[in-house]
Amino acid sequence: MYPKLTDDLDDLPELLMATRAAAERALTSLDTRPVAARAPEAGAAPTPVAGIGTAGALTRFEERWAPWFSGSAGPRYFGFVTGGATPASVAGDWLTSAYDQNAASGGDSAAVDLERETIGWLAELFGLGTEHHGAFVTCATMSNFVGLAVAREWLGEQAGISVTHAGVRALGRIPVLSATPHSSVYKALSMLGIGRDELTLVPVLPEREAVDVDRLAEALAALDGQPAIVVANAGTVNTVDFDDLRAIAALKERFPFWLHVDGAFGAFAALSPRHRGLVDGLAEADSVCVDLHKWLNVPYDAAVQFTRRRDLQFAVFKNVAAYLPPPVGEPAYADLTPENSRRLRALPTWFSLVAYGREGHQEIVDRTTALAARLGKRLAGEPKLRLLAPVRLNVVCCTLADNPTQERVDTLIRAVTGSGEAVITPTAYHGTPGFRVAFSNWRTTESDVDRLCTVLTTAAEHVTDKGNPAPADDSPR
Ligand SMILES: *Cc1c(COP(=O)(O)O)cnc(C)c1O
C-alpha cells in the first residue's frame, strides 16, 4: 500500500476529526465571511506526484482555496434560488460518502430502499399520489430532462412508434408548448434531440408570467389532434408566477398532451397551507420536476423527478447487460435515470426530513416567504427603487426607479455584491433590466433582510448616470 494510504488508514479517526474541525470553521464563519469571493489570479498547480496525505491536503485546501469560496450556503446569498444545507442534511451527506453506496439497484444493500422511502415522503409532501413514481437525479435540469424524455416516449406510443428504438427522427415535428419555461427546458430539449426551436411560447396573462390558458387551448386546438408536450411552470424564476395547473390539466379532456410541470422550487408552496393553492392540480401532471438543493436546503446536488408512466421511463433508461443482475421486484434506479452508478443522493434528504419533519420544512418555507414579503414592502417604499412585480412567494424582482439601463443596474448589483454583505443576481423582466433577491436559505432572518436593505438602498443612492466605477472585487460569476 502506498505509504500515505497506510498512514491515513492508521490515522483515520484523527483525520475525520480534523475534517470535522475544518467543516466547523466553514460553517461558523458563514455569517462573517464575504458572501461573494473571487480568487486572485493564480495558475493551476502542477499535478501532484508524491502525495502529502490527507492532513497535508486539508492544510493546502484551507490555504489555497477555502478563503475564496463563496458564502453561498449562508443567509445573505440571495442569488438565483440557492438554498443552503441544514445540519441534518450535512450529516447525511457526510455519511453518503462514508458508506459510498451505489444506489443503482438492490440486492446487496438497503440503500435503494432508503431512497424509495424518501421518494414516498417527498411525493406526499408535494401532494402527489401513489401513482407517481420518482427517483433522485442531480438537479432540476436533469429532472426536466427525464420528464421530457418520458414525454417523448409517450408521443411515440401515441403514434405507434418506439422512440427508444427508432430514434427521435421517427416522430417528425414535436410540438412543445410553454409560456415562461426555465432555460433548462430548452437545454433538455436540446439534449433529447427534440430541438430548442420546437418550443412554442404561449402568451401569458396581462402583467404576469403565467400562461393564458385560453391561448394555450387555442394552440392545442390548432394542432388538430396531434399529440403535444405542455410544460407548465410552477414558480417562474423572475416573479415566482404559477400557471393554473388545474385549468391546464382540464384541457386534457379535449386535447392529447403530456403535462410536465417544472416546480423546481415552486412546488414547495405545497408545504405551506397559506400558499398550497398555487400548486393546486400538481397531482394531475404526467411528470413533475422538483429541486431539493434549493428550498429543501440539502447540499448539491439533489433533485427529484416524478412520473406516472414508469413503464415508459424504463423503456427510455433501461440498461441491460449480462453482468448486471436482473431487477427483482421494483425496477432498478439505474434503469430509470440517466446515471447508471449513482451516489445515495437520498440520504441528506432522508436526514433532513427525519430531523425536522414536515413541520420544520414548512417553517423554512413560511419564514423565507415572509422575509421576501418584508423586503418587498421595504423596497416598495424606497424612492430610488421600483418593484417589477408583486412579491408572490420568495423572490423580490426589482429595479432602479429612474432610468434602469443595463449599465446602471449592473453597477448597483456590483456594488451590493462587492460589499461582501450580500449577493443578488441580475435579470430582465419584460425587457427591463433588474435584479432578483431570492429567499430560500434556512438560516436567513429579519436582520439579514435589514442588512441587505442597508447596502441596497445605499448603493441605489450612489448609482450615477454613467454608473459608478466597478469595485475591484465584484461578482463571483
Ligand atoms: C433552478 C431551476 C431549474 C434548474 O435547476 P438546476 O438544479 O440548476 O438544474 C429549473 N427550473 C426552475 C424553475 C428553476 O428554478
Side-chain angles (χ1 to χ4, degrees):
M1 199 183 273
Y2 189 67
K4 287 294 181 194
L5 281 171
T6 313
D7 294 350
D8 276 6
L9 188 56
D10 289 344
D11 295 343
L12 195 55
E14 292 76 22
L15 292 172
L16 290 174
M17 287 305 281
T19 309
R20 189 208 67 84
E24 184 181 334
R25 284 191 286 279
L27 292 172
T28 53
S29 66
L30 270 181
D31 223 20
T32 46
R33 68 186 298 148
V35 182
R38 195 157 74 177
E41 291 293 324
T47 306
V49 178
I52 57 172
T54 301
L58 201 50
T59 305
R60 176 94 38 103
F61 167 72
E62 286 203 295
E63 283 168 6
R64 185 167 142 75
W65 292 110
W68 313 110
F69 278 15
S70 86
S72 56
R76 287 181 312 286
Y77 192 97
F78 300 109
F80 317 104
V81 180
T82 298
T86 60
S89 72
V90 172
D93 203 58
W94 286 5
L95 292 175
T96 305
S97 295
Y99 279 96
D100 194 21
Q101 303 288 287
N102 184 355
S105 59
D108 57 17
S109 169
V112 293
D113 299 319
L114 181 145
E115 178 160 342
R116 236 166 245 133
E117 175 172 275
T118 312
I119 290 283
W121 294 347
L122 290 169
E124 202 180 310
L125 288 181
F126 299 120
L128 303 176
T130 48
E131 68 277 16
H132 278 101
H133 294 278
F136 274 76
V137 287
T138 49
C139 61
T141 301
M142 286 315 285
S143 179
N144 280 330
F145 172 83
V146 173
L148 294 172
V150 183
R152 189 184 63 176
E153 201 62 26
W154 175 84
L155 286 177
E157 186 183 67
Q158 306 312 296
I161 295 166
S162 165
V163 177
T164 179
H165 288 287
V168 68
R169 65 189 174 282
L171 280 177
R173 299 296 306 267
I174 299 176
V176 185
L177 303 169
S178 188
T180 313
H182 187 265
S183 52
S184 62
V185 169
Y186 290 98
K187 179 169 175 170
L189 293 175
S190 166
M191 291 194 285
L192 287 163
I194 294 175
R196 295 173 190 257
D197 291 354
E198 290 290 75
L199 193 142
T200 303
L201 289 177
V202 181
V204 291
L205 295 167
E207 306 291 315
R208 296 280 302 274
E209 287 187 305
V211 70
D212 181 333
V213 179
D214 293 336
R215 302 295 296 275
L216 176 62
E218 283 168 22
L220 287 165
L223 292 172
D224 210 13
Q226 185 188 0
I229 299 171
V230 172
V231 179
N233 301 292
T236 57
V237 285
N238 269 341
T239 67
V240 199
D241 210 342
F242 289 77
D243 288 348
D244 184 340
L245 302 179
R246 198 162 284 290
I248 296 172
L251 294 177
K252 285 187 149 207
E253 287 175 14
R254 294 162 56 198
F255 310 106
F257 63 91
W258 179 273
L259 177 55
H260 175 76
V261 178
D262 181 355
F265 66 95
F268 282 83
L271 267 63
S272 164
R274 270 189 65 197
H275 299 105
R276 192 168 292 156
L278 294 169
V279 286
D280 183 41
L282 185 66
E284 307 291 319
D286 297 299
S287 51
V288 176
C289 154
V290 187
D291 231 335
L292 301 173
H293 51 220
K294 290 178 179 166
W295 225 347
L296 195 74
N297 281 267
V298 299
Y300 293 103
D301 43 19
V304 61
Q305 60 76 217
F306 293 100
T307 180
R308 296 164 170 277
R309 290 296 304 274
R310 201 160 56 158
D311 57 330
L312 297 178
Q313 185 168 346
F314 182 80
V316 175
F317 293 104
K318 74 181 170 205
N319 183 73
V320 188
Y323 79 101
L324 298 170
V328 260
E330 300 278 324
Y333 282 118
D335 289 329
L336 295 169
T337 53
E339 303 85 7
N340 275 347
S341 294
R342 306 166 74 243
R343 177 180 178 77
L344 182 55
R345 199 164 269 117
L347 193 54
T349 294
W350 186 94
F351 259 78
S352 208
L353 291 178
V354 170
Y356 315 116
R358 174 199 282 271
E359 285 176 6
H361 282 279
Q362 178 191 325
E363 190 277 335
I364 295 174
V365 171
D366 282 339
R367 173 162 40 90
T368 44
T369 305
L371 292 173
R374 178 187 173 92
L375 178 70
K377 218 167 157 185
R378 291 273 299 270
L379 298 189
E382 283 296 331
K384 297 277 184 197
L385 295 166
R386 175 167 66 86
L387 291 184
L388 283 167
V391 180
R392 295 197 179 85
L393 203 60
N394 62 325
V395 174
V396 180
C397 190
C398 192
T399 195
L400 286 163
D402 300 323
N403 191 22
T405 60
Q406 192 69 58
E407 191 186 9
R408 282 166 51 81
V409 170
D410 286 348
T411 303
L412 174 80
I413 294 169
R414 271 202 304 275
V416 172
T417 301
S419 74
E421 274 284 279
V423 163
I424 59 175
T425 45
T427 192
Y429 181 58
H430 290 325
T432 305
F435 60 87
R436 295 169 59 259
V437 183
F439 291 80
S440 54
N441 190 293
W442 67 279
R443 287 173 177 254
T444 312
T445 63
E446 291 188 350
S447 79
D448 295 306
V449 174
D450 297 344
R451 280 171 73 171
L452 172 67
C453 266
T454 305
V455 279
L456 200 49
T457 50
T458 312
E461 297 278 340
H462 289 89
V463 177
T464 60
D465 270 343
K466 284 251 145 235
N468 281 339
D473 185 14
D474 61 359
S475 157
R477 298 172 65 226

